[in-house]
Amino acid sequence: MTFRSVLTGLAVAAVLATSAQAQVTDEQRVRTVITAYKDAIERLDVSQTPALFWDDSEIFENGGVEGSFAYYLEHHLGPEFADLDAFDFRDHVIKVEVDGDTAFVSETYTYHITFKGGAREMIERRGVATSVLRKRGDEWRIDVYHSSARPIRRPS
């Protein structure tokens, strides 16, 4: 083995290691965005969530087209939170696949919602969400978000 082939091998290994590190870093950044959205919902404070979505994002929920995140926040999510006492996610599992500047995320969870003053009965649902995140520059944000839920079925 020549000195030159050893250097070439080391250079290739360095490039592969850098590429793998970038992939891990991108996956971690994507997870951070998804987790920040979930945490904001649990805190019932969505004031900072617009920074997690691109301005031209698209939101779909339970078979409906909600529009951009800004529209969804103003006309749906924001007003609903005014009536909530708690929103609790449980058994939250996130799967992430990064492909270049696009990431595909699937989530499974259950959630429990309670209302201020016991105005309504607690809501329990099993939910799923699928997100497409885009990387623009060095920043990952949600581009497309789709969620749906159904009542939890208890064994009879």
Side-chain angles (χ1 to χ4, degrees):
M1 182 176 287
T2 69
F3 180 71
R4 186 178 189 159
S5 64
V6 169
L7 284 179
T8 302
L10 288 173
V12 168
V15 167
L16 291 175
T18 301
S19 176
Q21 181 61 34
Q23 188 75 4
V24 169
T25 301
D26 282 339
E27 181 178 334
Q28 290 170 340
R29 288 178 179 172
V30 167
R31 285 182 182 277
T32 298
V33 170
I34 296 299
T35 301
Y37 184 57
K38 177 193 79 70
D39 291 350
I41 290 173
E42 285 187 310
R43 285 191 318 273
L44 300 177
D45 179 5
V46 291
S47 62
Q48 302 302 308
T49 56
L52 303 173
F53 291 79
W54 292 114
D55 290 340
D56 57 349
S57 64
E58 296 179 281
I59 309 299
F60 304 91
E61 184 180 67
N62 290 327
V65 178
E66 302 292 339
S68 69
F69 184 73
Y71 183 87
Y72 178 64
L73 182 60
E74 183 179 345
H75 296 277
H76 184 85
L77 197 57
E80 283 182 354
F81 275 26
D83 297 329
L84 301 186
D85 186 46
F87 195 122
D88 179 40
F89 284 99
R90 298 178 187 168
D91 304 318
H92 189 233
V93 176
I94 303 171
K95 293 181 183 176
V96 176
E97 181 183 334
V98 176
D99 185 5
D101 290 343
T102 304
F104 306 94
V105 178
S106 63
E107 300 171 79
T108 59
Y109 46 81
T110 59
Y111 64 84
H112 304 257
I113 298 172
T114 55
F115 294 87
K116 289 180 181 174
R120 289 179 48 193
E121 203 172 297
M122 179 182 71
I123 295 175
E124 266 187 314
R125 297 284 187 267
R126 179 174 313 280
V128 296
T130 306
S131 304
V132 177
L133 286 81
R134 301 261 188 232
K135 184 178 181 184
R136 296 177 183 167
D138 281 337
E139 190 172 3
W140 285 98
R141 291 190 189 188
I142 301 169
D143 194 37
V144 177
Y145 181 80
H146 176 254
S147 65
S148 63
R150 64 179 179 206
I152 295 174
R153 294 190 180 126
R154 305 269 186 234
S156 16

